[in-house]
Amino acid sequence: MAEVTVKQLATVVGTPVERLLEQIKDAGLSLDSPDALVSDNDKMQLLAHLRGMHGKPGADGAAKPRKIALKRKSVAEVKLNTASGRSKTVAVEVRRKRAIVRPSEPVADIAGESEQAAELTELEKLRADQARREAEREAERERKRKRIAEREQAELAEQAHQAQLKAEAQQNTETARTGKKSATKEKADTGKPALTPDVVQAEETRRQKTSSKKPKAEPTARHQKDQTLYGRKELHVSASDRRKKKKGKRARSARVVADTRHAFEKPVAPIVHEVVIPETITVDGLAKRMSMKAAELMMQLMKMGVMATINQVIDQDTAVLVVEELGHKVIVVNEDDYEQSLLARDVSTYKEKARPPVVTIMGHVDHGKTSLLDYIRKSRITSGEAGGITQHIGAYHVETGKGMITFLDTPGHAAFTAMRERGAHATDIVIIVVAADDGVMPQTIEAVQHAQAAKVPIIIAVNKIDKEGADPDRVKNELGNYEIIPEEWGGENIFVNVSALTGEGVDDLLDAILLQADLLELKASVEGPAKGVVLESSLDKGRGVTSTVLVQEGVLKKGDIMLAGEYFGRVRAMYDEYGHNVEFAGPSIPVAVIGLSSTPDAGDEMLVLEDERTAREVSENRRVKARNMRLAAQQANKLDSLFDQMAEGEVKKLNILLKADVQGTLHAISDSLLKLAADNDQVDVRIVGSGVGGINETDISLAAASSAIVIGFNVRADASARRAAAERGVELNYYGVIYELIDEVTKALTGMLKAEYREQIIGMATVQEVFTSPAFGQVAGSLVTEGVVRKDAPIRVLRDNVVIFEGELESLRRFKDNVKEVHSGTECGIAVKNYDVKVGDQIEVFERIEMERKL
């Protein structure tokens, strides 16, 4: 091996030079420099020295002693009491170090040997304890196996014993049936005593005494399971079994084992329940009536698309569908039966007399209905109406020279369709006023349809015959298309030409009304509690709730308990149409009643009850039923509306808080506003609140919370409401004429509609040559063939009449000048942004025009 330096040798063996020099010095070599040369002999001497240090034999064959240092560390916790009385835990660490020298010859180390011996003794003790515990566990397992084997043997013996007893019992039963004659015969034939019941009992007693000396194991649960039907435990135990289980007592008589299987059999056909379903019911109540869990019923409703909670109210139709889906029988009941029993009364003992006719005047706007009634009453009604049109149902009874007539004046505007319908159903005769110069109008047709639906006689009053251009025959011809045929043409309807301005034909109209009333033979009872219909209701600050009521039967008096719709109260005062205080009102008489708890809806039935308790009970029942019906309807429509909104996108809503002076007008306006956006899928009208009376601070709070505008019809906001509206930024709108209100809301909804655009082509250019520009890239030398090319207008690139690109122009030049537009027949340079055109391409220039939207 070649000689190397100390430094090179340190690199080869991977040790520092300084450490290698120390080892060389310990080996007795005289090398003290990193650059000193190390010969082969030096290397062998160094190797022998290092082997001797690690216990290996050196060059002389003798191993040097090896020294091993053992370090042990243990941590203990010591609790100390401090001066404050609290205990403190201190961690104490104990470190021990012991050096073990293993020489070539044994060296005595008394302390080390004693410690090692102690450690070995402790280890042997642990091993002995572990072996002892393992032996005990094995012995316990062996004892358990023996007990299980003994128990199984006892069970098998018990089963054999039970089978033997059962066989003997069956044999004894057959023997008892044969009678004593068979027993005597058997004794004669065999020469042995017959097995009579007494003999069997004595034999069984002897067997029990013999077998009682043997220990019997208690039957296990598995044994009981094998003996029962359908794998269940016995539902009942025979008397003999009960006696056997008592400790210290033993049955003296023979135990006759009978078939103890219970009579219950698992049903193989579904159980069908008869489910009684009222108008509204909760999910939990419906589940109980079908004897099923509410969670299962909710899952079934979810499959049908109805998301309902356990306490949610569902309507009758939904309940019927889910019950039929589950296979049960449906029994639909009407909750009104109980209410009818409370309101039932015997009217057979009341005498009936002739009553005045109730006449409703209908017709188109401004055809002269109120003016005609004004002439009959000799008063000025039209001048008191806003805009010259009737806003409410007016009820008047008029004493004429030929008898008394009650008139109901309904508005003619399209918004009051529901009010006219209620008026038609509360009347005996309908007068339809048609202007001779205008002819039949849309509201006239609606009035005819309402009257025909109510099945009441119709009298046509052709008004304004004194006006130039009047043509009564035209009215007859136009109404003939709607099955209104004059008597002179062979029909059943009376046509009377009148003039509300001059009074011409008014007497003939009254004669026709009374003639028609005689033919109808109108009668009503003038005794007993009153019954009628609510025509109108309003809230007056001075008087409170005021309801216009038309009495149809009986007599309404002060102090009566009156029920109207969902509300009841005692009649505190009554007024006629002139404002005079009256004490009573008979059939066909309209009066204004004060005393109800709230404003009923126009068209609600009015009844007089004997006691306040019945009125309160019926009122509460109606309110609860109406609330449940609303909740059920909302739940039924919630999922559909959610899916509709998801399909149609976001729908803009106009929230409105509506207040009006009377209930009928409030309903008419609500219906008209909701119909505005009924056929539009982009906007919707939502009435967040409505009521009768002035606008108060609570209304402003509700409008602010729901971002709604406040509309007041013939009502105003008080001072506190105006201040709250100004602070919260709520918009107040007042109206006195209904069609102005509807027009304003229509404009607001129109402004909320999404803009619609229509594209219009304004120019066309053909690419004739393509140039390359350092500033714009490719520039198309084009010729404008149609219209005009504008720089700021969007374009399309057409190739073989197929659109291949849509974008915008980057540059438009005429020679070297930038221009905004180039007209037809002119050449220009066009640079299309982010696209390269080719010769022969066509550049189409268009613009988007916003279209006017309408509801």
Side-chain angles (χ1 to χ4, degrees):
M1 182 179 240
E3 294 181 352
V4 294
T5 61
V6 175
K7 185 176 182 180
Q8 292 175 348
L9 181 60
T11 305
V12 171
V13 299
T15 186
V17 178
E18 293 78 4
R19 179 174 177 78
L20 185 58
L21 287 174
E22 292 179 358
Q23 293 174 350
I24 289 173
K25 185 178 180 181
D26 294 339
L29 298 176
S30 61
L31 300 177
D32 54 357
S33 173
D35 297 329
L37 294 177
V38 182
S39 64
D40 293 340
N41 295 331
D42 297 337
K43 294 177 184 177
M44 295 303 296
Q45 186 178 352
L46 177 62
L47 180 60
H49 170 71
L50 293 177
R51 285 179 176 176
M53 290 181 62
H54 291 284
K56 295 183 179 180
D60 55 357
K64 294 184 178 180
R66 185 174 59 181
K67 183 179 180 181
I68 300 175
L70 298 179
K71 296 180 181 180
R72 294 184 179 179
K73 181 176 65 175
S74 61
V75 180
E77 293 183 354
V78 179
K79 291 187 178 180
L80 300 178
N81 293 328
T82 61
S84 60
R86 298 182 180 178
S87 61
K88 181 179 180 181
T89 303
V90 179
V92 179
E93 181 177 310
V94 180
R95 298 181 182 179
R96 291 183 296 175
K97 182 176 181 182
R98 183 165 63 90
I100 300 175
V101 179
R102 300 180 62 181
S104 57
E105 295 181 0
V107 180
D109 191 355
I110 299 175
E113 290 179 357
S114 61
E115 186 177 352
Q116 185 176 7
E119 292 178 355
L120 293 176
T121 303
E122 186 67 24
L123 181 59
E124 290 177 356
K125 289 182 179 180
L126 292 176
R127 289 178 179 175
D129 291 341
Q130 184 176 1
R132 180 177 53 79
R133 287 194 296 269
E134 184 67 25
E136 291 177 355
R137 285 196 292 268
E138 184 65 26
E140 182 66 23
R141 285 195 291 268
E142 185 66 24
R143 286 194 295 271
K144 288 183 179 179
R145 284 195 291 270
K146 290 181 179 180
R147 286 196 298 268
I148 292 174
E150 293 174 358
R151 187 160 51 245
E152 290 179 353
Q153 292 178 1
E155 290 175 1
L156 294 176
E158 179 68 18
Q159 290 180 5
H161 179 64
Q162 293 290 342
Q164 183 180 0
L165 291 179
K166 187 175 181 180
E168 292 177 356
Q170 291 178 354
Q171 183 178 0
N172 294 338
T173 304
E174 293 294 334
T175 304
R177 289 177 181 176
T178 58
K180 294 182 178 179
K181 183 177 181 179
S182 299
T184 306
K185 183 178 180 180
E186 183 179 355
K187 181 176 180 182
D189 294 342
T190 60
K192 297 180 181 180
L195 293 177
T196 61
D198 297 336
V199 174
V200 173
Q201 183 176 358
E203 181 66 20
E204 179 63 23
T205 304
R206 184 188 61 79
R207 187 181 291 107
Q208 287 183 357
K209 290 180 179 180
T210 304
S211 60
S212 62
K213 299 179 181 179
K214 300 179 181 179
K216 296 183 180 180
E218 192 70 17
T220 61
R222 183 175 63 83
H223 177 53
Q224 292 181 359
K225 181 177 180 181
D226 294 338
Q227 292 183 357
T228 55
L229 189 61
Y230 302 116
R232 294 185 294 272
K233 294 184 178 180
E234 293 181 352
L235 298 184
H236 58 274
V237 183
S238 61
S240 60
D241 290 339
R242 288 197 295 269
R243 285 195 299 271
K244 188 184 75 170
K245 289 183 179 180
K246 294 182 180 179
K247 294 183 180 179
K249 295 182 180 181
R250 185 179 293 109
R252 296 182 180 179
S253 61
R255 183 177 63 176
V256 179
V257 180
D259 190 5
T260 58
R261 293 187 301 173
H262 56 75
F264 174 77
E265 295 292 339
K266 185 177 181 180
V268 296
I271 300 176
V272 179
H273 297 280
E274 292 184 352
V275 184
V276 178
I277 302 178
E279 294 182 0
T280 57
I281 189 172
T282 61
V283 175
D284 186 37
L286 184 60
K288 290 179 180 178
R289 296 189 182 191
M290 291 188 292
S291 300
M292 65 182 301
K293 294 182 179 179
E296 297 177 0
L297 180 58
M298 290 165 60
M299 291 295 295
Q300 184 65 30
L301 288 170
M302 193 179 300
K303 293 178 182 179
M304 298 174 59
V306 179
M307 310 297 291
T309 59
I310 188 171
N311 294 322
Q312 192 161 334
V313 178
I314 58 177
D315 58 353
Q316 192 177 60
D317 296 336
T318 305
V320 169
L321 290 176
V322 70
V323 171
E324 292 178 348
E325 185 71 19
L326 294 172
H328 299 289
K329 185 178 179 181
V330 177
I331 300 178
V332 180
V333 297
N334 189 2
E335 294 182 352
D336 292 337
D337 296 340
Y338 175 69
E339 181 179 315
Q340 294 299 330
S341 64
L342 292 177
L343 302 179
R345 51 184 177 178
D346 187 10
V347 296
S348 59
T349 58
Y350 301 145
K351 296 181 180 180
E352 293 186 348
K353 295 183 179 180
R355 64 173 179 85
V358 179
V359 180
T360 299
I361 299 180
M362 294 183 174
H364 192 68
V365 177
D366 199 26
H367 273 203
K369 303 181 299 299
T370 309
S371 299
L372 181 61
L373 184 59
D374 184 22
Y375 184 85
I376 296 174
R377 296 179 59 228
K378 302 298 181 182
S379 62
R380 303 294 298 173
I381 301 175
T382 306
S383 58
E385 294 285 354
I389 66 171
T390 303
Q391 304 287 338
H392 312 132
I393 292 182
Y396 319 96
H397 69 282
V398 179
E399 290 285 353
T400 64
K402 302 178 181 179
M404 187 176 70
I405 303 174
T406 298
F407 287 97
L408 302 181
D409 181 18
T410 63
H413 192 271
F416 293 91
T417 301
M419 295 172 66
R420 283 200 308 273
E421 185 177 359
R422 288 194 298 269
H425 282 284
T427 190
D428 302 316
I429 302 171
V430 172
I431 296 178
I432 298 179
V433 179
V434 184
D437 55 346
D438 284 346
V440 177
M441 301 299 287
Q443 276 73 43
T444 308
I445 299 172
E446 291 181 8
V448 171
Q449 293 173 350
H450 292 321
Q452 291 175 342
K455 298 180 180 180
V456 295
I458 300 175
I459 298 176
I460 305 298
V462 183
N463 194 19
K464 302 183 181 181
I465 60 172
D466 58 327
K467 198 171 182 180
E468 186 177 355
D471 189 359
D473 294 334
R474 171 192 170 190
V475 175
K476 296 179 181 180
N477 292 329
E478 292 177 350
L479 288 176
N481 299 326
Y482 303 99
E483 300 180 358
I484 304 297
I485 310 299
E487 288 182 334
E488 56 266 25
W489 290 4
E492 298 179 354
N493 301 105
I494 301 175
F495 280 70
V496 180
N497 297 332
V498 297
S499 173
L501 186 62
T502 62
E504 181 181 354
V506 173
D507 293 337
D508 297 336
L509 179 62
L510 296 177
D511 291 340
I513 293 173
L514 295 175
L515 176 61
Q516 190 68 52
D518 292 339
L519 295 176
L520 295 174
E521 296 181 355
L522 302 174
K523 293 182 179 181
S525 61
V526 293
E527 301 176 0
K531 179 181 178 182
V533 63
V534 178
L535 299 177
E536 194 59 271
S537 62
S538 60
L539 184 61
D540 190 352
K541 278 190 175 183
R543 295 181 176 180
V545 178
T546 303
S547 304
T548 303
V549 177
L550 176 65
V551 181
Q552 295 174 321
E553 295 179 4
V555 178
L556 180 64
K557 303 182 295 295
K558 278 186 179 181
D560 287 345
I561 303 297
M562 186 175 72
L563 175 69
E566 301 177 10
Y567 308 102
F568 74 98
R570 188 179 296 275
V571 178
R572 293 189 285 111
M574 292 191 300
Y575 302 92
D576 59 9
E577 64 269 24
Y578 302 103
H580 301 154
N581 195 352
V582 294
E583 297 295 328
F584 60 90
S588 300
I589 301 297
V591 288
V593 179
I594 297 175
L596 288 179
S597 57
S598 184
T599 55
D601 294 336
D604 287 344
E605 184 184 25
M606 182 273 296
L607 292 173
V608 172
L609 303 180
E610 296 180 355
D611 57 278
E612 187 175 350
R613 182 186 61 82
T614 304
R616 180 180 290 105
E617 185 176 355
V618 175
S619 174
E620 183 65 24
N621 184 35
R622 288 180 177 180
R623 279 200 295 269
V624 172
K625 184 172 67 174
R627 178 180 176 274
N628 292 338
M629 293 292 288
R630 287 195 299 268
L631 292 177
Q634 290 175 4
Q635 178 62 24
N637 297 329
K638 185 181 296 182
L639 189 62
D640 296 337
S641 62
L642 178 61
F643 288 155
D644 293 341
Q645 290 183 10
M646 292 172 62
E648 300 172 1
E650 185 178 358
V651 178
K652 295 182 179 180
K653 292 185 178 181
L654 177 62
N655 295 331
I656 296 176
L657 190 143
L658 180 62
K659 297 298 287 287
D661 55 343
V662 293
Q663 192 75 31
T665 304
L666 181 68
H667 283 296
I669 297 175
S670 299
D671 295 341
S672 300
L673 294 179
L674 293 176
K675 289 179 182 178
L676 287 178
D679 298 331
N680 197 292
D681 56 353
Q682 295 184 9
V683 295
D684 189 16
V685 175
R686 180 187 175 199
I687 299 179
V688 298
S690 61
V692 176
I695 303 170
N696 52 37
E697 193 172 358
T698 304
D699 298 330
I700 301 300
S701 300
L702 176 59
S706 55
S707 300
I709 62 173
V710 180
I711 294 179
F713 189 83
N714 286 337
V715 295
R716 296 294 182 268
D718 54 20
S720 60
R722 289 194 298 270
R723 285 195 302 269
E727 292 174 357
R728 300 192 177 190
V730 177
E731 183 180 356
L732 294 174
N733 301 274
Y734 301 129
Y735 298 96
V737 179
I738 191 169
Y739 54 76
E740 293 181 359
L741 185 155
I742 296 174
D743 291 342
E744 291 294 330
V745 176
T746 303
K747 292 179 182 178
L749 292 175
T750 304
M752 295 169 60
L753 292 174
K754 293 182 179 179
E756 272 190 4
Y757 296 93
R758 181 173 59 87
E759 294 183 356
Q760 181 178 359
I761 300 175
I762 61 174
M764 184 77 71
T766 304
V767 179
Q768 296 180 339
E769 192 65 42
V770 179
F771 305 97
T772 302
S773 170
F776 303 103
Q778 285 192 348
V779 177
S782 307
L783 174 65
V784 181
T785 57
E786 298 179 14
V788 60
V789 176
R790 294 197 181 100
K791 183 179 181 302
D792 55 351
I795 66 163
R796 294 189 183 96
V797 178
L798 282 69
R799 186 172 296 167
D800 297 331
N801 293 324
V802 177
V803 177
I804 59 175
F805 178 76
E806 183 173 346
E808 59 183 3
L809 295 180
E810 188 174 6
S811 174
L812 179 62
R813 292 196 174 193
R814 173 71 176 150
F815 297 107
K816 294 184 179 182
D817 300 329
N818 288 325
V819 293
K820 292 184 178 182
E821 61 182 28
V822 178
H823 293 274
S824 176
T826 307
E827 293 182 348
C828 60
I830 298 175
V832 180
K833 191 174 184 179
N834 299 328
Y835 191 76
D836 297 334
V837 297
K838 296 182 179 180
V839 177
D841 290 348
Q842 291 181 318
I843 298 176
E844 179 184 86
V845 184
F846 64 94
E847 63 180 0
R848 294 183 176 92
I849 302 175
E850 184 176 355
M851 303 296 295
E852 182 181 0
R853 296 297 306 274
K854 293 182 179 180
L855 288 176

